[in-house]
Amino acid sequence: MKAERLQALADAYGADLRRWPADQRAFAESLLAADPSLRELLAQAATLDALLDAAPTPVPSAALTARVLAAAPRRKARAGWREAVWYLGAGWAAAACAGVVAGVGLTTHLTADARADAVLYQSALTGVDDTEVLG
C-alpha cells in the first residue's frame, strides 16, 4: 500500500521531493529511509522528469492568441457610479434612522425628568409641598 502511494506521488509531483507537499514529503522521506529499494520509483520518475524538461515549450502563434482573446467573454460595462450613489444613499438613510431611534430611546427618560423638574419648580414657586406633588 505504501509503495503504491509513493508511486502515485512520484507520478504526480516528479522525483524532486522539494516539489511535493510538505506532509507528503515527510511521508516519502520516512518511507525511503525504511526501505531504500523504493528509490527505484524515484529514479523512474527522474527519467520522466528529464524527458519532460528536454521537450520544447510550445509557443502559441499570434493568430491563435488573437482568436482566444476574441472568443473570451466580455464583461458588461456597468454604471458603477449609479450603484455607488445608491449604496451611499442607503447607508446615510440607515445611519439617520439609527440616529433617530437612538435619540428617542436615550431622551425619553430625560424628557420625563425634565417634566418632573418643571412640576417641582412650579410647586416651589407656589409654595406647594413636594410630597403633595409627587404623592
Side-chain angles (χ1 to χ4, degrees):
M1 176 68 176
K2 293 180 181 180
E4 291 85 14
R5 178 69 180 149
L6 185 68
Q7 177 68 49
L9 290 169
D11 290 344
Y13 298 108
D16 188 1
L17 294 181
R18 294 174 296 183
R19 295 181 184 166
W20 291 28
D23 59 333
Q24 301 300 321
R25 187 178 324 134
F27 164 75
E29 288 170 349
S30 67
L31 198 59
L32 291 171
D35 188 2
S37 66
L38 294 176
R39 292 200 180 276
E40 180 60 33
L41 296 175
L42 290 182
Q44 293 171 1
T47 304
L48 179 59
D49 288 346
L51 288 173
L52 291 173
D53 289 340
T57 304
V59 178
S61 66
L64 177 61
T65 303
R67 279 198 336 248
V68 169
L69 290 176
R74 301 262 184 235
R75 197 171 159 195
K76 288 184 179 180
R78 298 185 331 184
W81 66 272
R82 290 182 186 155
E83 290 177 5
V85 167
W86 193 89
Y87 286 127
L88 286 173
W92 279 104
C97 290
V100 167
V101 168
V104 167
L106 292 174
T107 59
T108 303
H109 74 282
L110 294 177
T111 306
D113 288 345
R115 287 186 196 149
D117 287 344
V119 168
L120 290 175
Y121 177 73
Q122 288 182 357
S123 69
L125 291 178
T126 59
V128 178
D129 188 18
D130 291 348
T131 56
E132 294 175 21
V133 174
L134 297 176

